[in-house]
Amino acid sequence: MTLPAIKPFTYFISDLHLSANRDDINQCLFEFLREHAPKAEALYVLGDLFEVWIGDDDQNDFTLSIANAFSALNQSGVPVYFIHGNRDFLVRERFAKQAGLTILPEQHVVNLYGEATLIMHGDELCTKDTDYQAFRKKARSWWWPRIMLSLPLALRRKLAKKGRATSQQKQSKLSADIMDVTPEEVINYMEKFAVKRLIHGHTHRPAIHDLVINEQSAQRIVLGDWYEQGSVLKVSAENVELTSIQF
């Protein structure tokens, strides 16, 4: 008897916000990497893998466990690609090498079974939040990360804690509209990269949006966060499916 061929597919995840304080999320990721991801052609991590990342020199049991889990998947033959988010933009080659990650540009086009697809974290789409966009421009500059990474590790921890508290306070005062993507910016990016499909995270609003761009059908897919469950996008030539893994 001839067994049916296994149809290829690719996984996308983002906004896991991993930390040593949320072992439930960490264990969910380990299960996903061990039980599900090895069946895929590739895995893409579209930013905010960590709740906070202050530098590759911040080595501890938690960060090493995450690196080892991804490295095991990569060594099994599944390539793992990573795009920086707004929480982990200081990830550099040291951690990438430990984890077996290939770091991609902030915006990247991948051929998904014949469909050119733009992938990104998605924070650049939220242009109505002007204060954040000003910070993003500074944080992605050539000079600011160098200054931050030159500071003592203990000081970076204090600054990260203070920055997170300030960010949470500001977000509590922002409307949902400001924190979501700007529709015109979505179209601008899709036209710039000449694609009909966009995949991103950041907003924590998982959904598949049907669009019309230049009188042609298009699609924007938003990945979910991992605060309550594992959110996974599975893309094949035949189907696009947002799935979840329960804690």
Side-chain angles (χ1 to χ4, degrees):
M1 181 177 66
T2 302
L3 295 175
I6 299 176
K7 295 180 180 179
F9 63 88
T10 298
Y11 277 136
F12 295 84
I13 58 176
S14 75
D15 299 282
L16 286 79
H17 297 273
L18 301 176
S19 73
N21 298 325
R22 286 294 305 267
D23 191 58
D24 53 345
I25 302 178
N26 303 336
Q27 293 303 321
C28 186
L29 171 65
F30 294 153
E31 177 188 346
F32 170 72
L33 295 179
R34 184 177 61 249
E35 304 295 336
H36 303 279
K39 303 172 186 177
E41 283 196 305
L43 170 64
Y44 289 83
V45 183
L46 303 189
D48 283 4
L49 176 61
F50 295 97
E51 178 71 8
V52 63
W53 189 262
I54 60 175
D56 291 3
D57 56 337
D58 188 17
Q59 298 280 310
N60 52 63
D61 291 343
F62 159 66
T63 59
L64 290 175
S65 69
I66 302 302
N68 290 338
F70 277 105
S71 179
L73 176 64
N74 180 260
Q75 291 177 12
S76 75
V78 180
V80 184
Y81 302 97
F82 174 79
I83 290 179
H84 292 100
N86 54 293
R87 303 288 186 88
D88 49 22
F89 55 85
L90 290 178
V91 167
R92 294 295 185 263
E93 288 299 330
R94 177 179 176 181
F95 178 77
K97 185 176 181 180
Q98 286 177 318
L101 307 179
T102 298
I103 298 178
L104 299 177
E106 292 179 354
Q107 299 93 32
H108 183 72
V109 176
V110 58
N111 187 327
L112 278 179
Y113 313 106
E115 181 71 45
T117 302
L118 175 62
I119 58 176
M120 59 173 65
H121 178 57
D123 54 333
E124 60 265 66
L125 301 172
C126 303
T127 57
K128 294 179 182 178
D129 188 350
T130 54
D131 287 343
Y132 170 72
Q133 291 301 324
F135 169 77
R136 186 184 191 280
K137 183 178 180 180
K138 178 179 70 174
R140 300 302 199 278
S141 67
W142 66 268
W143 57 271
W144 194 86
R146 292 187 181 184
I147 293 176
M148 289 300 297
L149 293 174
S150 70
L151 299 175
L153 195 57
L155 178 55
R156 274 180 271 157
R157 288 196 183 100
K158 290 181 180 179
L159 291 174
K161 184 177 181 179
K162 180 179 179 181
R164 182 64 189 131
T166 301
S167 175
Q168 289 177 329
Q169 185 179 27
K170 288 183 177 180
Q171 287 180 1
S172 67
K173 299 177 181 179
L174 294 177
S175 68
D177 179 61
I178 289 178
M179 291 190 291
D180 203 357
V181 302
T182 303
E184 294 80 8
E185 197 69 10
V186 169
I187 294 175
N188 289 341
Y189 270 101
M190 295 183 75
E191 289 182 334
K192 176 182 177 180
F193 288 92
V195 299
K196 298 179 184 177
R197 179 194 282 161
L198 166 64
I199 299 175
H200 71 85
H202 181 65
T203 63
H204 300 186
R205 300 177 183 187
I208 299 176
H209 301 274
D210 292 324
L211 310 173
V212 176
I213 301 177
N214 295 327
E215 300 182 349
Q216 293 184 317
S217 298
Q219 193 175 60
R220 178 172 70 94
I221 305 170
V222 188
L223 307 179
D225 63 77
W226 284 51
Y227 284 130
E228 303 297 333
Q229 61 186 9
S231 180
V232 180
L233 174 67
K234 181 179 180 180
V235 179
S236 66
E238 298 82 16
N239 194 29
V240 175
E241 181 183 7
L242 277 170
T243 62
S244 63
I245 303 172
Q246 299 301 317
F247 288 175

